[in-house]
Amino acid sequence: MYFTTRPTLQGTFGMVSSTHWLASQSAMAVLEGGGNAYDAAVAAGFVLHVVEPHLNGPAGEVPIILAPAGGDVRVLCGQGVAPAGATIDHYKGLGLDLVPGTGPLAAAVPGAFDAWMLLLRDHGTKSLADVLTYAIGYAEDGHAPVERVGETVETVRELFETEWTSSAEVYLPGGGRAPRPGELFRNPALAATWRRLLAEVSAETDRVAQIEAARRVWRSGFIAEALVRQAERPTMDTSGERHTGTLTAADLADWSATYEAPATYDWRGWTLCKAGPWSQGPVLLQQLALLPPELPRYGSADYVHLLVEGCKLAMADREAWYGDAAEVPLDELLSEPYNAARRALVGDKASYELCPGSPGGRTPRLSGHARVVADGEPGFDALAVPGAGEPTVARAATEPGVAPDGGTRGDTCHLDVVDRWGNMVAATPSGGWLQSNPVVPELGFPLGTRLQMAWLEEGLPNSLTPGRRPRTTLTPSLALRDGVPVMAFGTPGGDQQDQWQTHFFLSVALRSEVRGGLDLQGAIDAPNWHNDSFPGSFYPRGMRPGSLTVESRMDEAVVEELRRRGHDVLVDEAWSEGRLCAVARDPRTGVLSAAANPRGMQGYAVGR
């Protein structure tokens, strides 16, 4: 028996886990008020916009995986597409080789709001006012912010005060004081936006009609008008120049969130469900497909080496094959013959090469930028470039920020809910960070920057293409056991998400149960790691071949053996890798469980 930082919660009424305690408790309040898992998830999602504004916002994006009790697992895609004017020629004409990491040029059509509305409309039971009341309250009356909010604002202070002055009005009010823990922070503009939205849809007396009216307001009403005005404002971005965006009223009016079937893979009686290859979700499936029939001892150097090397192969395939701008040969990528050949590439030594495969005999094609960073061109070290990408760990030193020149990094949120009826949902909201774009003055929140994930090169699966989704790192998970939904889980962390989730899932699947159920908390607390041996998804798209970052709690003998095998090991802080959340349901007994990550000191699970 070993000790964990917290118990795995167990009960029969409802369970919630999220990256912020206020979101978790708001979701639980909805369950206590008779709502289901989907009502609770929507309420929590809007609270996360308020309490983790450095990690997500209403104009960001959210993939959602849902398993209705007795129904089929579905993916709800809240990832917006590239605007009609977002062509490669347009960006190249501006002298750009990469989509900027900040500013309106990086803004896709916002996707999060419409996805939450569809979830509420189709699967919820509560009214729009019911689920927005918590977010409105925290924005209007205030909440005590976590330290990371103020720390992020301080890193962008100069940018806010000199360029993004609408953001300074929200985050540096009353003489320029950033939000501080223990003091109430308010966003009255955001609260006013939701109050005006509710007022404009109040003439509709039917719940569904109100939600549909809210969708119209977002797509063509006062919210859409304000978003377009913001996109048209010249804005300083990571290029060091001021640019206007490509988002138009027509782009907003024409887009809607959509449902689709999940990508799946069966492994030892489990079925893992992920979003398709417009996300990085199938990377987790590929990592499982690459595992040999017999695994080394859990936590050993052989085990870590095997998972790291398999991850490198899966990520190389992500770089060559994933995207929304071309057909992705996913069946071949997950097939046993393909993975048997790929599995044979894993040797005793750490690989320093980017090695995509050739599914179905196809020739892999990497972007020119990816080839440059893979060949070791100086200046593209993902861990050394200030402000590069999403943070790799939860500690403050790598939390989101913007360098004085506009270089950005942002992270993500996650939430999972299961209710007493067996409905289950996992969602990973992100984008629209306070450091991504200036706050829209009339609305209280900024545009997102997800287009930075697409390449400015023709003919790639992830080429910037009008009407197509940029490949996202967001990747919630849902697991079935013998065909029955059992567990929903996920984590923030950009390119690390499906690394940490693979480790978590295998910990759950391979280790013994505790207290009669899955050991969710033990799997979350277990020492974790990640590698950066592939081009990153965030500006400036760097990589570090052979790198391996581990928590200092990993056994020293394991670390030394990994170094002997050629891994460039960085031993980081004891609690620095991952921000996992998870809920589960035992279909035999109806017992629900939940756990949350202790890293970062803000994730919490609640339930009864």
Side-chain angles (χ1 to χ4, degrees), residues 145-162:
V146 295
E147 291 181 4
R148 306 292 194 266
V149 176
E151 290 170 355
T152 302
V153 172
E154 286 297 342
T155 66
V156 295
R157 174 181 289 276
E158 181 180 348
L159 183 68
F160 280 13
E161 291 178 336
T162 60

Side-chain angles (χ1 to χ4, degrees), residues 100-132:
T102 59
L105 273 180
V109 177
F113 180 87
D114 199 60
W116 289 126
M117 291 300 99
L118 282 190
L119 185 64
L120 183 65
R121 183 194 73 182
D122 298 339
H123 299 279
T125 64
K126 294 292 188 178
S127 71
L128 183 58
D130 288 337
V131 297
L132 282 179

Side-chain angles (χ1 to χ4, degrees), residues 16-27 40-58 61-62 116 131 134-136 138 143 146 149 171 190 194 412-417 427-434 492 579 581 602-604:
V16 181
S17 180
S18 87
T19 49
H20 196 289
W21 61 84
L22 291 179
S24 295
Q25 190 53 51
S26 297
V42 176
F46 279 92
V47 169
L48 287 172
H49 298 159
V50 179
V51 300
E52 293 191 321
H54 57 313
L55 307 180
N56 79 137
E61 43 275 326
V62 58
W116 289 126
V131 297
Y134 306 92
I136 291 173
Y138 288 126
H143 69 282
V146 295
V149 176
Y171 292 103
L190 178 57
W194 299 145
T412 299
C413 309
H414 187 80
L415 65 95
D416 303 304
V417 189
T428 309
S430 187
W433 311 307
L434 69 85
R579 288 179 61 202
C581 302
Q602 67 189 67
Y604 261 87

Side-chain angles (χ1 to χ4, degrees), residues 249-330:
D251 295 317
L252 285 163
D254 291 345
W255 186 83
S256 172
T258 53
Y259 292 99
E260 59 189 51
T264 63
Y265 185 77
D266 295 330
W267 187 80
R268 297 191 181 184
W270 294 84
T271 300
L272 276 296
C273 300
K274 302 289 285 186
W278 53 267
S279 75
Q280 72 169 327
V283 163
L284 188 152
L285 309 183
Q286 283 197 251
Q287 288 178 87
L288 295 179
L290 283 161
L291 294 175
E294 297 295 326
L295 297 181
R297 179 175 56 84
Y298 175 88
S300 66
D302 287 340
Y303 179 85
V304 177
H305 174 78
L306 177 69
L307 264 61
V308 170
E309 295 305 297
C311 175
K312 292 174 184 177
L313 294 173
M315 285 296 196
D317 278 346
R318 182 192 74 164
E319 194 55 53
W321 299 109
Y322 290 20
D324 195 37
E327 290 297 318
V328 179
L330 190 57

